[in-house]
């Protein structure tokens, strides 16, 4: 499988509304937002799915990804009222872009179960 659009976003070859960047992690606004706040948080090294994670090797990345999610939730003022964090995994999980990403969604009431 070839690389995804997210690798091009990391290399700044295509534009994205970047809201956070560090050595290991990038966060940018989703192009097709499903909530008033919809941000994608990705590792800079390519990992295709949550099921490909090796915690011994990648644990630090997941820690940073969740730290960034909580920081951005505060920055975007959705921390108090609550928000949703989602990893879609594979086809049945609804994953369309095969590059690991955490969705941060907030600013509206979420429903359960998700579609
Ligand atoms: P998935 O369904 O794989 O969990 O989510 C992929 C997400 O990436 C979708 O919410 C989709 O709107 C978003 N997306 C796809 N292509 C682009 C793009 O080029 N730029 C940005 N900012 N988001 C994208």
């Amino acid at each position: 499988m070839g690389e995804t659009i997210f690798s091009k976003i990391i290399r700044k070859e295509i534009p994205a509304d970047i809201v956070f960047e560090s050595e290991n992690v990038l966060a940018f606004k989703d192009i097709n937002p499903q909530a008033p706040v919809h941000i994608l948080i990705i590792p800079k090294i390519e990992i295709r799915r949550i099921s490909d994670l090796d915690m011994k090797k990648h644990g630090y990345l997941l820690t940073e990804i969740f730290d960034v999610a909580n920081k951005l939730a505060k920055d975007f003022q959705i921390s108090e009222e609550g928000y949703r964090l989602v990893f879609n995994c594979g086809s049945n999980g609804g994953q369309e872009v095969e590059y690991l990403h955490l969705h941060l969604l907030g600013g509206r009431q979420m429903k359960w179960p998700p579609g």
Side-chain angles (χ1 to χ4, degrees):
M1 263 207 183
E3 68 173 20
T4 70
I5 200 130
F6 289 179
S7 295
K8 295 193 172 90
I9 288 176
I10 289 170
R11 295 198 302 267
K12 317 272 167 63
E13 287 172 11
I14 62 162
D17 192 346
I18 292 170
V19 294
F20 177 88
E21 180 161 18
S22 71
E23 190 187 342
N24 300 316
V25 170
L26 188 73
F28 50 94
K29 291 189 182 172
D30 196 293
I31 204 165
N32 182 22
Q34 301 301 309
V37 177
H38 189 173
I39 293 166
L40 303 173
I41 306 164
I42 66 174
K44 284 191 174 172
I45 58 164
E46 187 182 315
I47 299 167
R48 302 196 78 83
R49 296 178 170 198
I50 193 90
S51 55
D52 288 339
L53 276 176
D54 172 348
M55 283 304 166
K56 287 195 195 86
K57 217 162 97 188
H58 302 127
Y60 74 99
L61 278 176
L62 216 51
T63 300
E64 188 171 341
I65 284 170
F66 280 114
D67 280 347
V68 171
N70 286 337
K71 173 197 157 25
L72 290 173
K74 288 193 187 93
D75 292 351
F76 282 82
Q77 297 177 332
I78 55 171
S79 191
E80 284 300 310
E81 44 187 24
Y83 51 92
R84 181 167 288 172
L85 297 174
V86 177
F87 283 109
N88 294 325
C89 182
S91 155
N92 268 9
Q95 184 176 5
E96 286 176 0
V97 178
E98 281 270 317
Y99 190 117
L100 185 142
H101 51 280
L102 177 63
H103 294 259
L104 166 63
L105 297 138
R108 68 168 169 84
Q109 179 63 58
M110 299 295 158
K111 298 193 176 81
W112 193 262

